[in-house]
Structure formats: C-alpha cells, structure tokens
Amino acid sequence: MLPHLVVALLLALLGAGCGRTPPSSPEKTPMAPKSPTPARVLTLPPSSGRAEYLVVLLHGVGASAESFLPIARALAPDVPHAEVVVLDGLHPFDGATTGRQWFSLQGITEQSRPARVRQAGAEVSAWIDGALAERDLGPERLVVVGFSQGAILAQWLALHRQPPPMAVVSLSGRLAEDAPAVADMTSVPVLLVHGARDAVMPARLSDEAARGLEARGARVRLRVLPTLAHGVDGEVLEEVRWFLRDVLPHP
C-alpha cells in the first residue's frame, strides 16, 4: 500500500482550492455539449477478464490524472471486474501554469457556482457516454469517484445522469446544485467522506450534501474523519474499499 502521508500530502497540495476563490488578476444531461478532449486519460484494465463496469476517477482543481493515479491503483484490486479510468480535468487550470480543472474558480460566487458545475457536469457526462460506448457498457454500469472539485461533479452526475451511476463516491466535496434531480435516485448508493479538519471545504458541506441528496432519494453514507484535513489518506481509502465491496455486484 502507498504511504498514507504521501497520498494525503499529494492530494492536499494538488487538489486544494475547491472551496476558495483565487485572487482576481438531455435527458442524460441537460443540453449536453460535445465534451472537450482530456489532455490525458490513464486506464487500469480489469484484473479478471472483460470489464463489467467502468469506474471513473475525477481529481481536484489544479491536479491531474497522473497525480490521482495512485488512488486508482490503491482501489483497483477491490474492483477486479472494472476498468478504472482517471482523466485529466477537461480544461487547463487558470490559477497556475500547470494542472487541470473541471470549471474555473476565478470570480466564483455562491450564486454563480451551480451554473459552472452544470456546464462542467454536462461536459464530463458527454465524455462518459463515449467511454461507455467504446467499451460496449450500458449507462448503468458506471461508478464515479471524485475528490474536491471532482467530488462536486460526482454529486452532480448522481443527480443528473439518466440512468444514474450504479454508485458514487464524494471525497471532500459539496453539493452545488439549485435544480431538481433528473434521475430517479432511489437506487443510488452515495458515499460522502470528509475530514473534520478540512480548511479548504469545511466538513459541514458534506453534512449539507447528505441532507440534499437524501431529500432527492439517494441512499447516503456519510463519514466524517476527525483527524483528516483536505486530502486522501489510508483511512479514506479503507472507507471507499468497504463501500465498493458492499455495493458493487460481483459477476
């Protein structure tokens, strides 16, 4: 297993910032646009025959597919019948000279965030449609795991893909949506994991997300870890492993 502190530090540095504004200087998705092409897509093939489902990992703002690959490698043994895919954020990070993002944080407000998330969610959902089609998998054969800004999109996809994913994991995320759910979420298991010491996106945001998702019909598990800040460590990975083992079918 990867050293826990290395993983936590990596994601804290590369995925931080989703809750802060940088200094200034259809029916799958509503009106889904053609998705931009990721700069990089990293894939871990199933260890047991043909892929029966697709697990898509979404990193935090300013990070990259490569920085999130250790998380994919740590989780892959627990989903042997899945192809695990990590893609780059669909846009270059506009807060630095490196990194990727799903949507911009420049000038973002509580009022403007939902529209940005909808646009990004529609783009990611369009990419997922193509990835599922390439693998001859139905839209219900999808699992989404997101961290920070990627977790915001994971929650959006749970609400708006039709049919919804078979399972969703949100790590240090929030619910950024002001529209009703499109999907019937009564069968969707959602895991929310958050650090009580998170100074980037406070843990109360996952409390609020749990209530919002449950009100829309999702089956939510919420875990707030008392010593965790804004990152992913071994305890987080263990929570995700147990969740995936519990909710995913094993052919």
Side-chain angles (χ1 to χ4, degrees), residues 140-151:
E140 75 285 353
R141 294 284 181 159
L142 171 69
V143 177
V144 182
V145 179
F147 170 73
S148 201
Q149 192 176 85

Side-chain angles (χ1 to χ4, degrees), residues 119-132:
Q119 174 68 24
E123 292 176 349
V124 172
S125 194
W127 183 90
I128 288 172
D129 287 339
L132 289 167

Side-chain angles (χ1 to χ4, degrees), residues 25 29 60 75 82 103 163 169 196 249:
S25 21
T29 54
L75 296 176
F103 58 89
V169 176

Side-chain angles (χ1 to χ4, degrees), residues 10-247:
L10 177 69
L11 291 181
L13 291 175
L14 292 179
C18 290
R20 297 191 287 229
T21 303
S24 331
S25 21
E27 193 59 344
K28 291 180 181 173
T29 54
M31 301 299 292
K34 182 178 179 181
S35 173
T37 302
R40 180 177 297 184
V41 179
L42 303 178
T43 299
L44 300 177
S47 60
S48 176
R50 178 184 179 274
E52 296 294 333
Y53 39 87
L54 182 68
V55 178
V56 176
L57 273 65
L58 306 174
H59 61 70
V61 67
S64 66
E66 187 173 4
S67 73
F68 213 56
L69 186 60
I71 304 304
R73 286 179 173 150
L75 296 176
D78 294 282
V79 286
H81 301 287
E83 183 174 344
V84 181
V85 175
V86 192
L87 63 153
D88 270 333
L90 299 181
H91 303 279
F93 180 39
D94 59 11
T97 56
T98 61
R100 307 290 295 182
Q101 66 188 22
W102 308 102
F103 58 89
S104 176
L105 297 180
Q106 297 288 342
I108 199 167
T109 65
E110 292 299 315
Q111 292 71 37
S112 66
R113 182 180 288 106
R116 297 191 190 189
V117 173
R118 281 194 292 275
Q119 174 68 24
E123 292 176 349
V124 172
S125 194
W127 183 90
I128 288 172
D129 287 339
L132 289 167
E134 288 173 5
R135 293 156 177 81
D136 196 26
L137 294 173
E140 75 285 353
R141 294 284 181 159
L142 171 69
V143 177
V144 182
V145 179
F147 170 73
S148 201
Q149 192 176 85
I152 295 174
L153 292 189
Q155 293 188 39
W156 189 93
L157 292 165
L159 289 168
H160 292 288
R161 278 190 64 82
Q162 187 69 284
M166 84 168 41
V168 170
V169 176
S170 168
L171 308 177
S172 303
R174 66 185 295 167
L175 183 63
E177 181 56 281
D178 55 7
V182 170
D184 177 3
M185 297 188 67
T186 54
S187 63
V188 183
V190 179
L191 173 66
L192 308 178
V193 183
H194 217 120
R197 297 184 179 181
D198 193 333
V200 177
M201 293 222 282
R204 64 173 174 76
L205 294 174
S206 277
D207 289 326
E208 294 169 4
R211 292 193 294 271
L213 291 166
E214 286 172 344
R216 292 165 168 88
R219 296 186 288 119
V220 178
R221 300 184 193 181
L222 173 62
R223 299 288 185 267
V224 177
L225 305 181
T227 63
L228 182 69
H230 193 70
V232 176
D233 64 5
E235 191 174 3
V236 174
L237 292 174
E238 197 60 25
E239 291 285 353
V240 178
R241 288 191 185 97
W242 280 109
F243 175 76
L244 294 177
R245 291 173 193 154
D246 188 34
V247 304

